[in-house]
């Protein structure tokens, strides 16, 4: 079983902070790290987002202008030295270049081009020696790697994934980007590129293609995982990472020659263990927020089983003064985004799950945000459903 730092990769407004609070209760054995890569993505010398590009004061006031992808990785090393296992929760899109641009490795963790046929390691996380928008980087890319983090570095983490239906996440995120809440969050416009589903799917597919994740799929019991037995396939689930694989071919030490038929002819078995001398990646572990809200104990227990953590029912309660102080310290850098999770004291099954028609959703959004707001939300929701439904196929069932 992997004992690497757990990386819960997600997208905005996926109930991820409530999920994070579960692991914050285990302070003696776990160290929760709250959305660290946003510091580099938005504010530092390797920033990828244009959100604060024209707001120098906003970047400086953040306190993260010196953050790079290297400083964040160094932080993990320092915190892991305490002997606790890290549980990192962060947005997948923080690891990706903007607007689906071709990826190259962040200079602070890679090598920068210095003329034809020469490269030089980047020092101190500075980028191109300027304060202008640093992307595209003057650095090398890795074949098929869609992120700005080297493949070897990604290999240091035990990746898991948390998703929520866009019909719930997108309007919630939109609300954070318009008055009156925008004055609290500092996000003064809604950017559809920050929805995060496309990048989450790309990261998921890439990690599977290189054998870091899968072929085993996390589930709580054999019946829950029956859809993934060797006789069935994921119809229509098309990978967006091209991998060369046919029967009997091994990719990066992972045997794809039998088991479940997956996209592009890749075949996975259900075992996440080593067999016949072949080392497999960690289980595919995808949590759907709706399943988490319906059955917190069952989903958290299944997640713990997949990631090698000990589950105890008290993980779902965080009502002490120490719990609250820890949350306030962890969440203060993103004001307005985490109020519900910060003011909560436990995670219990929701009592009612509302199923709304498209017409009801459109009407509700128009009442809250006006006709134009409703149009923008609907467009963003529809644009991300395909990626959500693709990832949903792999979600834990209990």
């Amino acid at each position: 079983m992997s004992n690497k730092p757990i990386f819960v990769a997600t997208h905005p407004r996926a109930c991820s902070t409530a999920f994070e609070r579960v692991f914050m209760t285990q302070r003696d054995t776990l160290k929760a790290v709250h959305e660290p890569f946003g510091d580099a993505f938005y504010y530092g010398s390797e920033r990828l987002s244009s959100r604060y590009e024209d707001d120098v004061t906003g970047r400086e006031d953040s306190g993260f202008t010196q953050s790079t992808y290297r400083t964040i990785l160094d932080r993990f090393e320092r915190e892991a030295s305490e002997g606790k296992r890290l549980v990192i929760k962060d947005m997948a899109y923080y690891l990706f270049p903007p607007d689906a641009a071709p990826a190259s490795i962040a200079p602070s963790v890679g090598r920068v081009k210095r003329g034809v046929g020469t490269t030089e390691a980047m020092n101190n996380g500075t980028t191109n020696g300027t304060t202008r928008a640093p992307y595209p980087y003057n650095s090398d890319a890795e074949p098929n790697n869609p992120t700005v983090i080297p493949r070897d570095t990604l290999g240091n983490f035990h990746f898991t994934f948390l998703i929520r239906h866009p019909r719930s996440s997108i309007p919630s995120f939109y609300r954070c980007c318009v008055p009156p809440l925008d004055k609290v969050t500092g996000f003064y416009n809604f950017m559809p590129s920050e929805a995060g589903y496309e990048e989450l799917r790309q990261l998921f597919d890439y990690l599977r293609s290189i054998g870091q994740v899968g072929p085993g799929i996390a589930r709580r019991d054999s019946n829950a995982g029956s859809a993934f037995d060797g006789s069935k396939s994921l119809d229509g689930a098309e990978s967006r990472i091209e991998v060369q694989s046919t029967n009997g071919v091994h990719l990066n030490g992972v045997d794809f020659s039998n088991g479940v038929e997956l996209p592009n002819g890749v075949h996975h078995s259900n075992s996440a263990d080593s067999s016949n001398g072949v080392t497999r990646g960690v289980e595919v572990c995808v949590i759907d927020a709706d399943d988490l809200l319906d059955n917190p104990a069952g989903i958290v227990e299944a997640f713990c089983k997949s990631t090698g953590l000990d589950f105890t029912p008290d993980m779902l309660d965080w009502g002490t003064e120490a719990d609250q102080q820890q949350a306030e310290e962890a969440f203060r850098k993103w004001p307005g985004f985490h109020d519900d999770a910060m003011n909560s004291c436990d995670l219990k099954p929701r009592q009612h799950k509302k199923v709304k028609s498209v017409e009801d959703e459109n009407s509700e959004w128009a009442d809250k945000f006006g006709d134009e707001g409703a149009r923008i939300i609907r467009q963003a929701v529809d644009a991300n459903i395909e990626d959500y439904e693709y990832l949903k196929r792999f979600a834990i069932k209990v």
Side-chain angles (χ1 to χ4, degrees):
M1 177 65 69
S2 167
N3 197 42
K4 297 177 180 179
I6 298 168
F7 194 129
V8 182
T10 188
H11 57 79
R13 317 308 290 171
C15 301
S16 60
T17 305
F19 188 59
E20 182 181 359
R21 292 210 67 172
V22 169
F23 306 101
M24 293 173 70
T25 65
Q26 307 301 296
R27 290 183 289 275
D28 292 340
T29 57
L30 301 177
K31 173 66 175 179
V33 185
H34 179 71
E35 301 183 14
F37 286 104
D39 304 351
F41 179 82
Y42 285 113
Y43 305 115
S45 59
E46 294 176 329
R47 61 191 176 276
L48 295 168
S49 174
S50 62
R51 179 172 285 283
Y52 294 101
E53 192 53 47
D54 297 324
D55 184 6
V56 176
T57 300
R59 294 203 308 272
E60 292 177 346
D61 289 346
S62 74
F64 299 118
T65 56
Q66 300 304 309
S67 292
T68 66
Y69 287 92
R70 166 55 60 194
T71 65
I72 293 165
L73 293 169
D74 289 345
R75 173 190 172 187
F76 297 158
E77 291 187 13
R78 290 193 304 271
E79 295 189 339
S81 68
E82 299 175 5
K84 301 177 183 179
R85 190 175 183 190
L86 302 187
V87 180
I88 303 156
K89 186 268 287 188
D90 218 340
M91 306 301 132
Y93 76 82
Y94 291 167
L95 308 181
F96 283 72
D99 303 319
S104 60
I105 301 303
S108 66
V109 293
R111 301 186 69 83
V112 176
K113 299 174 182 177
R114 297 297 186 194
V116 177
T118 64
T119 60
E120 180 178 326
M122 203 61 184
N123 294 318
N124 300 322
T126 58
T127 304
N128 297 338
T130 73
T131 57
R132 66 174 175 80
Y135 202 84
Y137 301 142
N138 184 30
S139 59
D140 293 324
E142 286 187 345
N144 298 321
N145 184 351
T147 79
V148 300
I149 304 298
R151 171 178 169 173
D152 287 347
T153 302
L154 293 174
N156 293 329
F157 302 101
H158 181 139
F159 276 94
T160 64
F161 306 86
L162 175 62
I163 59 174
R164 190 185 188 191
H165 198 290
R167 71 165 66 96
S168 298
S169 67
I170 297 294
S172 178
F173 189 46
Y174 185 87
R175 173 176 169 268
C176 295
C177 302
V178 297
L181 195 54
D182 60 349
K183 287 182 170 51
V184 180
T185 63
F187 277 40
Y188 291 102
N189 60 303
F190 174 73
M191 299 173 65
S193 62
E194 293 177 332
Y197 289 88
E198 181 177 2
E199 293 83 359
L200 188 61
R201 176 175 177 173
Q202 287 182 345
L203 178 63
F204 178 82
D205 278 341
Y206 175 64
L207 295 175
R208 289 173 62 229
S209 75
I210 63 175
Q212 183 173 337
V213 172
I217 298 174
R219 57 190 183 276
R220 196 167 181 226
D221 56 58
S222 58
N223 291 332
S226 61
F228 296 97
D229 66 29
S231 64
K232 298 181 180 180
S233 63
L234 295 175
D235 295 335
E238 297 182 357
S239 172
R240 292 183 176 176
I241 296 291
E242 294 184 3
V243 294
Q244 294 181 343
S245 178
T246 57
N247 290 343
V249 172
H250 292 61
L251 295 180
N252 303 300
V254 179
D255 183 4
F256 292 90
S257 62
N258 54 66
V260 178
E261 184 176 354
L262 289 176
N264 294 332
V266 176
H267 290 68
H268 288 179
S269 77
N270 277 333
S271 173
D273 301 323
S274 295
S275 60
N276 299 323
V278 175
T279 301
R280 304 179 188 279
V282 299
E283 286 184 328
V284 172
C285 184
V286 178
I287 301 293
D288 189 295
D290 278 318
D291 298 330
L292 176 67
L293 296 175
D294 289 338
N295 184 5
I299 292 295
V300 172
E301 183 177 6
F303 179 90
C304 289
K305 181 178 179 181
S306 178
T307 54
L309 299 177
D310 293 328
F311 171 77
T312 59
D314 64 1
M315 299 173 81
L316 305 179
D317 292 286
W318 47 80
T320 70
E321 183 176 344
D323 290 328
Q324 189 61 22
Q325 181 178 353
Q326 182 187 23
E328 290 176 358
E329 292 175 355
F331 305 153
R332 66 174 51 153
K333 73 174 180 179
W334 298 116
F337 283 102
H338 306 310
D339 291 354
D340 289 343
M342 190 158 57
N343 294 327
S344 65
C345 60
D346 56 30
L347 187 58
K348 294 181 178 178
R350 60 184 173 186
Q351 299 302 308
H352 303 287
K353 181 178 179 179
K354 298 179 181 179
V355 179
K356 301 176 183 178
S357 67
V358 171
E359 291 75 17
D360 288 341
E361 290 174 344
N362 290 338
S363 177
E364 177 181 315
W365 299 338
D367 289 343
K368 290 181 178 179
F369 306 113
D371 291 341
E372 178 63 10
R375 183 193 67 79
I376 293 172
I377 293 171
R378 172 56 61 192
Q379 186 176 34
V381 168
D382 290 347
N384 288 285
I385 286 178
E386 179 185 350
D387 291 331
Y388 162 78
E389 290 182 340
Y390 172 80
L391 293 167
K392 174 68 173 177
R393 297 172 183 267
F394 298 88
I396 286 176
K397 300 297 181 184
V398 298

